[in-house]
Amino acid sequence: MGLLSKRDTKLITDPLADNNPITIQVLGICSALAITAELEASIVMSIAVLFVLGLGNVVISLMRNIIPSKIRIIVQLIVVATLVIIVDLVLKAFAYQLSKTLSVFVGLIITNCIIMGRFEAFALANGPWKSFLDGIGNSLGYAVILIIVGFFRELLGSGSLLGFPVLGDAIEKTGVYAYGYENNGFMLLAPMALITVGLIIWVQRNKSKALIED
Amino acid sequence: MEKRTDKNSYTILFAVIMVFVVGASLAFLATSLKGKIDENKRLEKQQNILYAMGVNDNDEKSVAFISTDNVAKEFSTYITKQVIIQGDNVTEDDEAYLIDLKVESAKSKEASYQRRLPLFIGEKEGAPYYIVPMRGKGLWDAIWGYISLDKNLVVQGVFFDHKGETPGLGANINQRFFMDDFTGEHILNQKENFAGIAVSKSNIDPKNERKTDNAVDAIAGATITGDGIAAMIRKDLRMYMPYLQTLKN
């Protein structure tokens, strides 16, 4: 047996599909709608959440026996806010340009329900190593959906991927635009993100046997 | 039996200690990093001002500032004069760029206070540049920028930035495809009155060929941020007009 037991592996793989935080638990929808107009923003947000959720889960798990149950939500909120502020301050002092790129995401991370959800549902009842894996698994599950949505929104909305125009130039009418193709500006707006997430849920519920309801 | 952690006294004690520890450690971190952060902000301001007058390391697509190691030197080379305009008084001040527009704007709400307006005068290849700092509101938070004009009040370059606009939408105001459109735009209308530059959804000029229409193309999905930019230009640039008009004559 390697580093991960079977159960540990499940902690990582489960949230990727059958227990995905966005499509199945419907958590973290707000940020999934807000920042997926571009693939790059989706990726940056995914990495930021991976970091905060992995670390936050460990911290909460270590504190799980001393946190008073009456104020546990507040304590969780303080932990995640503190982590995010520390990271932000350190970046501002030593990697200023990077911090400018990330600063928009900071507020969004604190309010991300996946983070609070995993603290509450998992880290409070499990040890640090398991909590860490759970955090990584859930943020990867979050990342997968964000990147899929970001991919389609940027491709269909702006005709580019990671800022690189893949469909030709919309203004000069080259590439597919020469044949009368137009970018769909609606893809850039939040409603289309919700519809895209809806389509992913539809496909997933159709494909996965575990999720088919009577 | 009641658990130890359910007791009220424990809860209160925990809360007090937690607040104290977290507050103290964050305060300590913030104070110890403050010098470094302020220095970064100061250099960034210089980079932004130089960027607006076209002194930057841009390649074809991306935004690239003069490196932080060189910026102080380049700033003193290109920015020949910094002035503070206060009503009819124009005074020179080498630290005008440190004036906080937010503070000035708050102070100016009192009728007795005459707002200090910093203006940076630069010179590149023999031609003078007048760089005006601006600050306004976006959708979520503050937006700010610098606009550089020649003496005919034609825009030579701009720089915009924001605190928390939506990534992928409003946040794109600091991207080249948006900022570059402003270059060459006129801020006066045909009758030579101040008109500013609108961020328009309906000017149907995606290649930005009409430079005298006082409008640039908006970003799809970023209406409020775009309107914020237009309002910021209208409001802040207007305050400089009495001074800038004198340059034309």
Side-chain angles (χ1 to χ4, degrees):
Chain A
M1 209 163 66
L3 185 62
L4 300 175
S5 69
K6 215 168 187 182
R7 206 182 269 164
D8 286 349
T9 322
K10 251 183 114 53
L11 285 176
I12 296 214
T13 53
D14 243 18
L16 287 179
D18 285 355
N19 200 12
N20 190 285
I22 298 185
T23 58
I24 307 302
Q25 301 173 22
V26 200
L27 292 175
I29 285 284
C30 358
S31 53
L33 303 192
I35 55 115
T36 48
E38 278 178 355
L39 188 53
E40 189 187 340
S42 308
I43 294 172
V44 172
M45 183 69 177
S46 301
I47 295 170
V49 166
L50 183 81
F51 179 77
V52 173
L53 189 52
L55 202 62
N57 253 0
V58 172
V59 174
I60 290 289
S61 171
L62 288 172
M63 289 169 67
R64 70 188 186 282
N65 292 326
I66 59 164
I67 295 176
S69 56
K70 284 173 193 154
I71 56 167
R72 64 184 192 284
I73 301 275
I74 302 174
V75 173
Q76 292 160 14
L77 203 59
I78 290 176
V79 167
V80 59
T82 313
L83 279 178
V84 169
I85 292 170
I86 289 175
V87 172
D88 191 45
L89 277 174
V90 171
L91 284 180
K92 260 191 191 142
F94 300 106
Y96 194 69
Q97 280 311 316
L98 183 64
S99 89
K100 295 216 43 149
T101 326
L102 288 177
S103 66
V104 201
F105 299 94
V106 168
L108 286 168
I109 292 174
I110 298 179
T111 56
N112 192 326
C113 358
I114 294 178
I115 292 178
M116 297 296 288
R118 291 330 289 173
F119 285 0
E120 178 74 10
F122 198 91
L124 272 180
N126 290 282
W129 173 239
K130 277 200 161 56
S131 301
F132 176 71
L133 293 177
D134 178 78
I136 300 296
N138 273 282
S139 36
L140 287 178
Y142 173 76
V144 167
I145 302 300
L146 237 65
I147 289 170
I148 294 177
V149 178
F151 176 85
F152 284 110
R153 285 183 76 190
E154 189 176 349
L155 183 68
L156 301 176
S158 319
S160 60
L161 287 174
L162 293 172
F164 183 78
V166 288
L167 297 181
D169 194 314
I171 295 170
E172 303 289 343
K173 300 278 177 225
T174 60
V176 294
Y177 298 102
Y179 303 100
Y181 175 83
E182 292 279 346
N183 284 328
N184 185 353
F186 195 38
M187 284 305 285
L188 295 174
L189 306 181
M192 272 321 279
L194 192 58
I195 291 172
T196 315
V197 171
L199 289 174
I200 296 174
I201 295 178
W202 178 49
V203 171
Q204 192 184 0
R205 286 206 173 257
N206 258 309
K207 289 283 169 207
S208 171
K209 289 201 173 69
L211 297 172
I212 293 174
E213 292 163 22
D214 299 328
Chain B
M1 205 186 84
E2 202 182 23
K3 274 202 304 198
R4 182 178 60 98
T5 53
D6 281 345
K7 279 194 193 145
N8 281 343
S9 55
Y10 178 84
T11 305
I12 292 170
L13 190 69
F14 186 92
V16 169
I17 292 175
M18 174 134 198
V19 167
F20 187 76
V21 170
V22 169
S25 50
L26 282 183
F28 173 75
L29 192 68
T31 356
S32 47
L33 294 179
K34 189 170 187 298
K36 193 105 178 87
I37 294 175
D38 286 350
E39 170 76 4
N40 283 337
K41 286 192 174 151
R42 198 173 60 78
L43 292 177
E44 188 200 11
K45 261 188 171 178
Q46 296 188 337
Q47 284 174 322
N48 291 171
I49 293 168
L50 288 178
Y51 185 95
M53 69 176 279
V55 180
N56 49 47
D57 291 343
N58 277 354
D59 55 15
E60 203 173 311
K61 281 236 132 158
S62 62
V63 171
F65 301 115
I66 294 281
S67 77
T68 42
D69 305 330
N70 292 337
V71 67
K73 194 175 110 259
E74 299 283 345
F75 191 75
S76 50
T77 319
Y78 282 103
I79 301 296
T80 48
K81 211 160 111 179
Q82 299 183 44
V83 296
I84 298 174
I85 305 167
Q86 215 169 3
D88 291 335
N89 287 331
V90 179
T91 46
E92 246 186 86
D93 186 336
D94 279 348
E95 298 210 317
Y97 77 102
L98 294 176
I99 288 178
D100 189 339
L101 297 188
K102 190 176 165 191
V103 174
E104 285 298 310
S105 145
K107 275 188 189 168
S108 68
K109 283 183 183 130
E110 280 175 40
S112 61
Y113 185 80
Q114 178 94 51
R115 186 172 170 168
R116 294 187 300 164
L117 303 172
L119 176 76
F120 318 111
I121 302 171
E123 197 181 294
K124 197 177 76 173
E125 288 149 16
Y129 288 74
Y130 301 87
I131 302 144
V132 176
M134 303 171 293
R135 188 182 170 90
K137 296 191 200 85
L139 171 59
W140 303 116
D141 213 318
I143 52 176
W144 58 90
Y146 299 87
I147 185 163
S148 79
L149 305 161
D150 66 3
K151 60 182 192 312
N152 295 319
L153 305 190
V154 173
V155 178
Q156 299 300 307
V158 292
F159 180 78
F160 296 123
D161 211 346
H162 62 94
K163 189 164 174 205
E165 298 308 292
T166 320
L169 301 173
N172 282 345
I173 56 169
N174 60 13
Q175 297 295 308
R176 286 281 295 281
F177 72 88
F178 182 68
M179 294 196 293
D180 286 359
D181 274 5
F182 285 80
T183 309
E185 287 284 338
H186 293 235
I187 61 166
L188 303 178
N189 62 16
Q190 313 287 8
K191 291 176 188 152
E192 299 285 293
N193 292 321
F194 177 69
I197 298 170
V199 177
S200 165
K201 290 205 283 188
S202 55
N203 73 335
I204 321 175
D205 182 22
K207 289 185 194 169
N208 197 35
E209 281 158 347
R210 297 195 300 266
K211 297 291 189 188
T212 51
D213 59 355
N214 303 112
V216 296
D217 237 24
I219 303 174
T223 308
I224 296 177
T225 311
D227 288 350
I229 295 266
M232 170 172 86
I233 293 174
R234 221 165 29 239
K235 187 171 109 324
D236 279 12
L237 204 50
R238 185 187 296 278
M239 296 188 293
Y240 288 82
M241 284 320 285
Y243 178 86
L244 293 174
Q245 289 282 15
T246 62
L247 302 172
K248 280 203 81 163
N249 308 320

